Amino acid sequence: MLVIHRRIAPQALWAAELLLNFEARSKSRLRCFSADGEDVGLFLERGQPPLHDGEFLQ
């Protein structure tokens, strides 16, 4: 499982792509799957604005 804890500055390469609707981008805790089918756990700091298209996470 890929575990994501924070937002980071844009990078040249990425390990996985997440395709999330607005509701999913608004959550700080989420279990989803990458575009390649890899299991992903999203654990971001609570109270942050929704994720934006193209944002990088680590």
Side-chain angles (χ1 to χ4, degrees):
M1 173 188 268
L2 177 63
V3 178
I4 297 171
H5 291 283
R6 63 188 173 124
R7 299 172 190 222
I8 59 171
Q11 306 290 308
L13 300 172
W14 62 87
E17 181 178 21
L18 301 178
L19 305 174
L20 304 172
N21 61 25
F22 180 78
E23 182 180 346
R25 291 192 325 261
S26 299
K27 297 182 181 218
S28 60
R29 304 288 186 268
L30 178 69
R31 182 178 180 194
C32 57
F33 294 91
S34 71
D36 294 333
E38 183 177 5
D39 199 13
V40 177
L42 190 64
F43 301 96
L44 299 175
E45 185 178 334
R46 294 183 190 265
Q48 298 295 309
L51 294 170
H52 295 100
D53 184 34
E55 199 159 357
F56 283 75
L57 307 167
Q58 182 179 35

